[in-house]
Amino acid sequence: MIDLSIHDDVATIVLNAPSRLNALDEQALHGLGMAYDEAEAAGVRALVLRGEGRAFCAGRDISGVDPRDDDVIGYLDGLVTPLLQRMSRFPAPTFATAHGACLGVGLGLLIATDVVYVAESAKIGSPFAALGATLDSGGHALFLDRLGAHKTLDLIYTGRLMSGTEAVQSGLFSRVLPDDEVAQATTDAATAAARGATAAFLASKRLVARIRDERLALWEAVGIENATQAALCDTDDYREGFAAFQEKRKPEFRGR
């Protein structure tokens, strides 16, 4: 089950199948995509993704899958990858709370989120050595980029799971927090972002994605930064930010 609520321009999407550690079947993936569509249609200025119960998401729900006729391409190419791409392009800052198991597709959901706050006890990695399967949903790219080839393959071959603390220290995600603080910290960060210059945040989000995906060199990136900054000069938030600075008051951003 996927739950969506909206308050103060912040959408909160909850993976709510705690008895299955929020593992995702096809119906849940469709529901998750619909929740993102609804949040976008509502014009929210930030979004939080979290899981109910003991885990964020243990990956794909394989409880009823027969490997002899499993349509892996249909599941991954047809459902998972389009969802992750849709999440990564969401037109507002996105935040996730990662706790407990964050595996497989669950790890992919985090990769597709802008900012991830991780509980100290989170378990992150590739448990697929025991299934005869390989890591999916962007895990190879994330690990290789942040950890290098040797540590990536060590995690894959051994199936060892990283704690939240180790994952953040290794540069995988944004910040590690005590288990009883991480959810509130994520909500607070999203609320603060929603009250900020979200047009500028979205410009940075697109710029970061372009630098990453196109592997831009330094001066190419600087040129795009300059053009982006010039475009922001025409926004209400840019003018408000300058006026507030000059008048020594707190800005009142509208996200436009």
Side-chain angles (χ1 to χ4, degrees):
M1 181 181 295
I2 308 297
D3 296 333
L4 168 66
S5 60
I6 298 174
H7 181 68
D8 288 341
D9 289 324
V10 178
T12 300
I13 296 176
V14 181
L15 311 179
N16 192 4
S19 64
R20 302 196 303 272
L21 300 182
N22 300 315
L24 299 169
D25 58 15
E26 294 185 7
Q27 181 179 358
L29 290 171
H30 285 299
L32 188 54
M34 291 175 59
Y36 274 78
D37 289 343
E38 291 180 36
E40 180 174 352
V44 300
R45 295 176 62 192
L47 181 148
V48 173
L49 175 66
R50 66 175 181 85
E52 190 65 34
R54 296 186 293 115
F56 170 68
C57 176
R60 182 186 183 187
D61 185 354
I62 60 171
S63 56
V65 174
D66 184 340
R68 292 169 296 184
D69 57 12
D70 183 19
D71 182 9
V72 174
I73 290 295
Y75 179 80
L76 294 176
D77 276 353
L79 293 174
V80 174
T81 300
L83 172 63
L84 299 182
Q85 291 172 333
R86 194 264 175 274
M87 291 172 59
S88 69
R89 291 192 297 261
F90 189 80
T94 59
F95 298 78
T97 298
H99 75 290
C102 308
L103 308 172
V105 178
L107 177 61
L109 301 182
L110 300 181
I111 295 170
T113 302
D114 298 342
V115 176
V116 179
Y117 289 175
V118 185
E120 292 174 335
S121 64
K123 300 299 181 185
I124 297 165
S126 172
F128 299 112
L131 291 175
T134 189
L135 184 59
D136 56 46
S137 305
H140 285 90
L142 176 72
F143 288 170
L144 184 60
D145 182 61
R146 310 294 169 81
L147 306 176
H150 291 91
K151 188 172 287 187
T152 294
L153 292 175
D154 182 23
L155 288 172
I156 290 171
Y157 292 171
T158 64
R160 185 179 71 83
L161 301 181
M162 305 171 75
S163 69
T165 300
E166 183 183 358
V168 171
Q169 289 175 344
S170 298
L172 294 183
F173 297 118
S174 312
R175 190 181 305 182
V176 63
L177 292 155
D179 288 38
D180 59 353
E181 298 178 15
V182 65
Q184 188 61 54
T186 309
T187 298
D188 290 347
T191 301
R195 295 171 181 164
T198 46
F201 295 159
L202 185 55
S204 288
K205 174 174 179 169
R206 291 169 175 158
L207 180 57
V208 167
R210 185 171 177 186
I211 293 170
R212 177 198 64 207
D213 295 342
E214 298 179 23
R215 300 292 180 181
L216 298 182
L218 172 61
W219 300 116
E220 289 180 282
V222 168
I224 297 171
E225 285 177 337
N226 296 344
T228 300
Q229 189 72 285
L232 287 170
C233 290
D234 291 331
T235 64
D236 292 341
D237 280 354
Y238 190 92
R239 289 186 282 269
E240 166 63 12
F242 267 73
F245 179 82
Q246 292 163 347
E247 297 165 10
K248 297 181 173 58
R249 60 175 174 82
K250 186 175 180 180
E252 297 182 5
F253 293 120
R254 302 294 185 211
R256 56 182 186 271

